[in-house]
Amino acid sequence: MAYVDYSNTDSISTLHPDIIQTQILTRLDGPTLTSTASTSSYLQTLCTEQKLWQELSTATWPSINDPLVVKAISSFPSGYRSFFADSYPFSEYTRPSENDDPPTTRLISAVDLYYRGELIYSKVQEMETESGKGGWFLSAPFRVDMLDPRESVNTRVRYPGGDYEAWVRDMEESMKLNWILIDPVKKRAVNISSRDAVSAKRNWLTGDLEIRFSTVVEMGRRAAEVATVVSCGSAETWKEVDEEVGGEVHVREVRLGVEDIEGKCLKGRESVLVLQGLLEGKRSCKDGCGRGKGRYEEYVEMKTQWRKKKERREKAQDTICMVFGFSLFVLLWSFILLR
């Protein structure tokens, strides 16, 4: 039996660099590639090759092939390697510096939507976060719409008809979303989506199915939700379609918003501060840092408890006002009758 000597740590260097880069390193994912780079100085040199990280990034997020994103990534300290290190892991919210006014002036959204591993929608959109002459952005409710109101995207997804609730569960499990925010000024990026959907339910006003991807942000005693919602429907609203027939599903809406615990949309300035906290946050969390369905359900329960507490407080205030009013009424009539 042949004996293989593994004691020579430099044996990897006997392979031609092209073989390592094209046949070995290209088969690795981002985390494995990073770990490989830390094993030796030789592999570190090969693993930091810009083309390697570019191919890995574009395969993970096809939307970043857009020239606007390519230009932004080119200004990052280590190019695509820095971009991947920012965008791949989950981010833990960090309170941004108070000196930033506003926190950032431009944000680029790169969105990729998948159904059962197949890309069904991809788009890049730039947003100016400066107040401008009218100051409308910072004072208006924050919302980013990737589709125009009259626009819809045809997909290969079909509603087969029959059990609507089973189809809703399947859509929730099958849809994946990446929403990467890029700050070209500060040269940072973050994936603000939970990747997997946290809920899917029918909007009874429009008839569309709304699939929600959520990131819960803890800000001391306060909490907020960075919510990305994908709205799906047919050529006609589901209200007007026989659910036993089914049909092709279109993507009608892809939007981003930031909501407080009351469910109210935060204004532009507050929302950008939350997003800036995610852009600057630590990338060391492996459990999702507030991402995922479990954390979302905890947040929903927190909202429910907060709403009940508010109702009890308002009820107590109403009771006090009624007692005070009744007492004042009795006192007034007692004064009149005993005079």
Side-chain angles (χ1 to χ4, degrees):
M1 181 179 293
Y3 174 74
V4 179
D5 183 11
Y6 291 101
S7 62
N8 184 6
T9 58
D10 293 329
S11 59
I12 189 68
S13 62
T14 60
L15 292 175
H16 195 280
D18 289 345
I19 296 177
I20 298 175
Q21 288 184 323
T22 59
Q23 302 299 323
I24 300 177
L25 297 183
T26 54
R27 301 175 186 270
L28 305 180
D29 59 16
T32 307
L33 191 61
T34 302
S35 300
T36 304
S38 63
T39 57
S40 70
S41 57
Y42 177 68
L43 285 177
Q44 182 180 20
T45 302
L46 297 180
C47 289
T48 54
E49 188 68 31
Q50 188 68 200
K51 185 180 179 181
L52 189 65
W53 287 100
Q54 180 179 1
E55 292 176 351
L56 182 61
S57 297
T58 53
T60 308
W61 308 291
S63 60
I64 67 172
N65 282 308
D66 188 279
L68 184 65
V69 180
V70 172
K71 181 179 179 181
I73 295 176
S74 66
S75 66
F76 278 46
S78 299
Y80 282 92
R81 188 158 61 94
S82 295
F83 176 79
F84 192 93
D86 269 354
S87 304
Y88 187 81
F90 290 100
S91 174
E92 183 178 1
Y93 174 83
T94 300
R95 186 181 181 87
S97 173
E98 296 292 340
N99 297 327
D100 294 333
D101 187 25
T104 186
T105 57
R106 291 171 58 208
L107 287 174
I108 300 172
S109 292
V111 177
D112 294 295
L113 179 64
Y114 292 86
Y115 175 75
R116 293 182 178 177
E118 180 182 353
L119 184 68
I120 61 174
Y121 177 73
S122 183
K123 187 177 180 180
V124 170
Q125 182 172 296
E126 185 176 15
M127 173 181 60
E128 297 288 342
T129 63
E130 292 181 305
S131 58
K133 295 181 180 179
W136 63 270
F137 177 83
L138 298 179
S139 59
F142 176 82
R143 175 166 167 154
V144 179
D145 288 292
M146 300 300 291
L147 290 173
D148 294 331
R150 297 182 180 180
E151 184 182 3
S152 66
V153 179
N154 297 339
T155 68
R156 296 181 182 178
V157 182
R158 294 189 62 84
Y159 167 52
D163 191 344
Y164 181 80
E165 294 301 325
W167 179 73
V168 170
R169 290 192 296 270
D170 176 73
M171 289 290 286
E172 181 180 343
E173 295 171 358
S174 303
M175 285 288 193
K176 310 289 182 184
L177 177 71
N178 287 306
W179 190 308
I180 298 179
L181 276 183
I182 305 165
D183 185 344
V185 177
K186 297 187 178 181
K187 303 174 179 59
R188 296 300 304 269
V190 64
N191 193 340
I192 59 174
S193 172
S194 56
R195 279 70 156 183
D196 296 322
V198 297
S199 73
K201 59 183 180 180
R202 187 174 189 171
N203 185 320
W204 294 104
L205 181 62
T206 63
D208 291 342
L209 174 65
E210 293 189 342
I211 304 169
R212 195 176 192 91
F213 302 82
S214 171
T215 297
V216 178
V217 176
E218 298 284 352
M219 301 179 293
R221 296 182 179 181
R222 297 187 302 153
E225 178 192 3
V226 179
T228 52
V229 178
V230 176
S231 180
C232 300
S234 66
E236 302 176 72
T237 61
W238 289 112
K239 286 182 177 180
E240 300 169 354
V241 174
D242 185 353
E243 292 183 1
E244 295 299 324
V245 176
E248 185 179 350
V249 177
H250 296 183
V251 175
R252 292 177 173 276
E253 192 176 60
V254 181
R255 69 177 188 268
L256 166 67
V258 182
E259 301 176 0
D260 63 13
I261 199 168
E262 296 183 60
K264 297 179 180 178
C265 292
L266 297 182
K267 294 183 179 180
R269 179 179 179 81
E270 297 167 312
S271 298
V272 172
L273 283 171
V274 172
L275 298 177
Q276 191 68 30
L278 290 173
L279 280 163
E280 298 176 1
K282 297 179 181 179
R283 303 301 201 273
S284 57
C285 265
K286 297 180 180 181
D287 60 353
C289 300
R291 316 294 178 104
K293 190 170 184 177
R295 183 67 185 95
Y296 174 74
E297 290 176 348
E298 291 177 4
Y299 180 69
V300 171
E301 179 62 25
M302 187 191 310
K303 290 173 66 175
T304 302
Q305 295 300 324
W306 183 90
R307 186 168 57 252
K308 290 180 178 179
K309 184 177 180 180
K310 182 182 178 182
E311 290 174 354
R312 289 194 298 266
R313 185 170 60 249
E314 291 176 347
K315 187 177 181 180
Q317 290 174 350
D318 292 341
T319 302
I320 292 172
C321 290
M322 290 176 62
V323 171
F324 178 77
F326 180 75
S327 301
L328 186 62
F329 176 79
V330 172
L331 182 62
L332 178 62
W333 276 102
S334 298
F335 176 77
I336 294 174
L337 294 175
L338 296 176
R339 189 174 173 185

